[in-house]
Amino acid sequence: MEFVEVLIGLLAASVALAYAARHARMPSAVALVLGGMALAFVPNVPRVELDPHIALAFFLPPLLQVSAYRTDWAAFRSALRPILLLALGAVVFTAAAVAAVTKWLAPELPWAACVALGAIVAPPDAVAASAVLKTTRIPRRLVTILEGESLLNDASSLILYRAAIAATAAGSVSLGDAGSSFVLSALGGTAIGYAVGRLAIMATVALEDTLLEISAGVLAGFAGYFGAEAFGLSGVLAAVACGLVIGVRQHEVLSARTRVAATAVWDFIEFVLTSLVFILIGLQLRDVVGRLGAFGFGDLAGLALATSAALIASRFVWVYGTSGIPRALGFKRATLRPSHLAVISWAGMRGVVSLAAALALPVEFPGRDLIIFLAFCAILVTLVLQGTTLGWVIRRLGVVEAPAEPGVSPEARVRHEAALAALSTIENRLYNGRVLGLPDADMLRQYRQQRDNTEAMIAGHGLAAKRREARLQLELSAAHAARRAVLDRAGTIDGELLQSLEEEFDFDEGRLRRALGGEAHGG
């Protein structure tokens, strides 16, 4: 019973903190972490222990899956080079830099422990990145790079982390074995996630029920994660691959009703899990500090500041140091401006993966409590310092979405094509004699017709009901044609524009199907 009360209390606190953050124009992640820290020292507040295995297995799969589900695949694929440079290269470079600084300042720690700390804090967090980027308006390519990096970097960091733990247990580790393990884990996890995503799509087609389809989609991410982990492969990449597969195919296999409902369900899941993650991070402070009584405050503060500074600085060094690689390889279009590089360098917030990985260290691991403390400080520093100032940096550097060029906007062209498709469908059905009565174009006449139809239906006139049904069916066919015309442009237009237009057609289809009295399935 106490667990339920604590959970409800944390959710209530999350709502209050998120509301306060919105009015304070502060990233909700920062408010939730600081609020959790404050709650940790409130008298009589129940002690909340964050089980690292539960944190990784319960929070990570759905949060990664929903991020991948919403990813614009065409944009992700076009930005794959900078994404991989960050998700692979930056993780290794950052881990090495943090390990070197830690070993220099704390020589009593073995190298493997220092590398483990570096791997723990190296990956920027997908949840933290999304929470902060939602409050900014930067060029879509930068959003794709940052979110794409946060989807993939957890896999590389966790593999490096496991190699460090294995090296501590065995006394040494082969670089060749570590490299082959990384490739096998990444490819195997991706393959399992792809297979689970395809099975989820097949199940969705067979279920034909909105609630069951959404449930199957949510469970798919967990299935991919646990399936990959059972074989010693990357569960992180399995959840990401599963989300990408379902996200790409959702336009074809999910009904309008399911897509609209799934958006609301995933928004709720994301809010609840994200809020709990960050507030639980703050609540760990009391226990983390309590286990470090043997260390002096000055020593701890100096080591925490030094490792956090190395964490932030190494990202700048890597991003700027590798910025010329695409141009050297002939990819001139992929080159980013210095101001864009600055934003990418500063957008390195850490979160739940870092804390969970630190807490998951074996009890006998050398320097475990110190590593947990340093990881917590890195999360706190990056969230508070970078999370609260990222918007200011973006505005200061002028890195905002470029205004549309004069002339006809892409949205207007897509809407025009959709309107032509809808009009063509209506004309074909009219000319083929499949409609009972011509539809009125004037809005006033339309509403008068609706009034007359409903009055006739009340009076029991079957012809009016048939005409109304035929009109609604005609509008439904037009909505299908308009939506198909927009989806045919997928990959050639902005992903957010595609999603926005599709949502409009989905709501319209749902309205028409409800008016027809049937399930809003199909489309």
Side-chain angles (χ1 to χ4, degrees), residues 52 139 169 193 201 211 259 289 405 523:
I201 292 297
L211 292 177
R259 278 190 301 274
V289 173
E405 297 181 1

Side-chain angles (χ1 to χ4, degrees), residues 232-372:
L233 304 173
S234 175
V236 169
L237 287 181
V240 170
C242 179
L244 284 173
V245 170
I246 297 176
V248 171
R249 294 295 310 281
Q250 63 168 312
H251 310 291
E252 302 294 334
V253 300
L254 297 185
S255 66
R257 179 179 180 182
T258 299
R259 278 190 301 274
V260 172
T263 298
V265 170
W266 277 115
D267 285 346
F268 175 74
I269 291 175
E270 186 177 29
F271 170 76
V272 169
L273 294 184
T274 300
S275 300
L276 287 177
V277 161
F278 287 117
I279 202 169
L280 285 172
I281 287 175
L283 284 171
Q284 306 310 301
L285 177 62
R286 181 171 58 187
D287 290 339
V288 170
V289 173
R291 291 195 294 265
L292 292 170
F295 293 88
F297 175 79
D299 294 336
L300 287 176
L303 188 56
L305 289 175
T307 53
S308 297
L311 181 67
I312 295 173
S314 61
R315 184 172 176 87
F316 273 88
V317 173
W318 177 264
V319 170
Y320 278 93
T322 59
S323 61
I325 292 179
R327 181 178 295 275
L329 296 177
F331 302 115
K332 296 182 180 180
R333 193 175 67 88
T335 303
L336 296 169
R337 296 199 297 267
S339 58
H340 292 180
L341 298 176
V343 171
I344 292 175
S345 300
W346 194 244
M349 293 71 66
R350 272 63 179 179
V352 63
V353 175
S354 295
L355 183 62
L359 292 173
L361 286 170
V363 176
E364 68 279 3
F365 195 83
R368 181 179 185 271
D369 289 338
L370 180 60
I371 290 174
I372 294 175

Side-chain angles (χ1 to χ4, degrees), residues 455-467:
E455 288 178 354
M457 290 175 65
I458 294 173
H461 295 284
L463 181 60
K466 289 181 179 180
R467 285 179 174 173

